[in-house]
Amino acid sequence: MSILHYGALTNAFNLHDAKVTPLSVESNYFPCLQSLGVHNEIQQVHYWQNSILYSKPQQNKMCCSGNRILLDRQCQDNSKSGYPQVSYVPLPRFSSTNVFDVTSMAFTGQASILTQSTTGSKIDSSLNRTPNDNNLRLCGISKFKCPECMKLFVTSGGLMKHRQFHSQSVSGRNCFSCKHCDKQYMSLGALKMHIRTHTLPCKCKYCGKSFSRPWLLQGHIRTHTGERPFSCAHCRRSFADRSNLRAHLQTHSEVKKYGCQRCAKTYSRISLLTRHEVTGCFPQAVASSE
DNA sequence: TAGCGCCCCCTGCTGGG
DNA sequence: CCCAGCAGGGGGCGCTA
Ligand SMILES: [Zn+2]
Ligand SMILES: [Zn+2]
Ligand SMILES: [Zn+2]
């Protein structure tokens, strides 16, 4: 089994511009999560040169969006294809598994995604993106800043919606409570979204099953129609659901999403990694078998 | 500005190898 | 038993009427 070693990754970025220090594992550069994430002080994190988006090293500034860590990507050379190609950049190696701790705003582990040259295969969770998609819109144009948490938003509406969360008491006094269960939400919008999981307003015309959101119903209807709009570029399998295609793409990669910090093994699911770490991680045995 | 649509993330279940 | 596929649920956020 040949693991893609991190050292090889820097070569891909040397292709872009030798004058600019590429993101690399060896450097202390923090990964660019800009295309999906929301930054503190975004201008200090990213800069453009020759139509290529680069990231600068930041001290203790990690990018996050909401409550999750997002995959890292670079927008490259959008002058050729009309919109940026997508590559993943490896996150620096951290001390544990690939968990981003929002509370401490720090990685507790390694979240590694492989990348290859622009002609090679890659894990790409941004399938079928168009130039209008969120990630492209976010490339350097977030200009509405929340004064309370410094998050940046592309539109004023996005900022207004976000500020609903701050407008409520953090103590929970003014939380919006669901009358159907005991869940509480910090915004009315979030509560309304949740209530749909009780009322299930979207009903399948084929079997009558109900769903909370139209796109969930749409995905379900594909199980009746057999439509599979998401195709794998590597093996021509197709899937009804984008997430399932993304999961499938991991089967084409030897580096899975979740990596063990003690040995080189990677897994497609956090549950598999957890089980490995609890029951079966023997680094010496792994090293000798390679 | 609320609703929509799309994004990504995650997980339980299941069946094949 | 392991892993991949399937189906479905959750929150976030930009766009638009
Ligand atoms: Zn409820
Ligand atoms: Zn149905
Ligand atoms: Zn495939």
Side-chain angles (χ1 to χ4, degrees):
Chain A
M1 169 173 168
S2 64
I3 297 293
L4 179 68
H5 291 287
Y6 291 92
L9 294 168
T10 55
N11 294 333
F13 297 99
N14 290 336
L15 297 173
H16 299 322
D17 188 338
K19 296 190 294 289
V20 177
T21 306
L23 289 165
S24 75
V25 175
E26 290 76 15
S27 76
N28 290 323
Y29 279 33
F30 282 103
C32 160
L33 299 175
Q34 183 260 4
S35 57
L36 278 176
V38 178
H39 299 289
N40 293 339
E41 300 175 57
I42 191 169
Q43 296 86 351
Q44 294 181 25
V45 181
H46 304 289
Y47 62 97
W48 289 90
Q49 183 164 331
N50 300 335
S51 303
I52 300 171
L53 179 67
Y54 291 92
S55 295
K56 297 190 243 183
Q58 292 289 297
Q59 292 183 339
N60 302 323
K61 285 194 175 61
M62 303 304 292
C63 310
C64 69
S65 175
N67 59 355
R68 62 178 190 262
I69 185 63
L70 295 166
L71 294 176
D72 176 25
R73 64 189 59 175
Q74 248 192 345
C75 304
Q76 314 168 35
D77 198 358
N78 49 3
S79 61
K80 289 177 186 168
S81 61
Y83 57 91
Q85 299 172 12
V86 172
S87 294
Y88 285 157
V89 184
L91 303 182
R93 297 203 113 163
F94 292 89
S95 59
S96 180
T97 54
N98 53 343
V99 175
F100 185 75
D101 185 338
V102 177
T103 305
S104 63
M105 291 298 286
F107 282 96
T108 62
Q110 158 199 346
S112 60
I113 296 297
L114 74 86
T115 185
Q116 295 181 8
S117 68
T118 53
T119 55
S121 62
K122 62 199 171 201
I123 300 175
D124 184 356
S125 70
S126 64
L127 304 157
N128 299 331
R129 277 184 198 288
T130 69
N132 285 330
D133 275 342
N134 300 348
N135 298 337
L136 307 187
R137 287 192 300 264
L138 275 166
C139 286
I141 58 173
S142 299
K143 55 178 185 262
F144 296 94
K145 191 176 189 176
C146 174
E148 292 169 76
C149 71
M150 305 306 159
K151 278 188 176 180
L152 287 166
F153 296 85
V154 171
T155 64
S156 60
L159 173 58
M160 296 286 281
K161 205 177 288 185
H162 163 78
R163 293 200 67 185
Q164 290 180 357
F165 289 90
H166 294 304
S167 70
Q168 306 305 323
S169 164
V170 290
S171 70
R173 277 182 290 128
N174 298 323
C175 280
F176 295 92
S177 299
C178 176
K179 62 182 178 184
H180 303 284
C181 68
D182 52 7
K183 286 200 172 181
Q184 293 186 327
Y185 293 87
M186 298 298 281
S187 75
L188 185 59
L191 173 62
K192 282 182 177 178
M193 181 71 74
H194 165 74
I195 287 177
R196 293 175 71 98
T197 67
H198 293 298
T199 58
L200 300 176
C202 309
K203 191 171 183 178
C204 175
K205 65 180 178 183
Y206 296 101
C207 70
K209 189 171 182 184
S210 297
F211 298 86
S212 60
R213 300 193 224 176
W215 58 266
L216 276 173
L217 172 60
Q218 189 180 16
H220 166 77
I221 285 178
R222 292 197 187 112
T223 68
H224 293 301
T225 64
E227 183 192 5
R228 291 166 170 264
F230 303 100
S231 298
C232 174
H234 304 295
C235 70
R236 298 302 165 191
R237 280 192 70 146
S238 57
F239 299 85
D241 179 84
R242 192 190 303 270
S243 290
N244 292 337
L245 170 58
R246 190 175 300 113
H248 164 77
L249 284 172
Q250 289 205 37
T251 68
H252 291 301
S253 167
E254 293 187 355
V255 179
K256 305 294 194 295
K257 190 174 179 181
Y258 301 100
C260 175
Q261 59 151 331
R262 288 178 289 184
C263 69
K265 291 213 75 175
T266 58
Y267 296 88
S268 58
R269 293 190 178 199
I270 186 67
S271 59
L272 298 175
L273 172 60
T274 301
R275 189 185 58 195
H276 161 79
E277 290 182 328
V278 169
T279 66
C281 180
F282 303 107
Q284 291 82 2
V286 171
S288 61
S289 68
E290 277 187 343

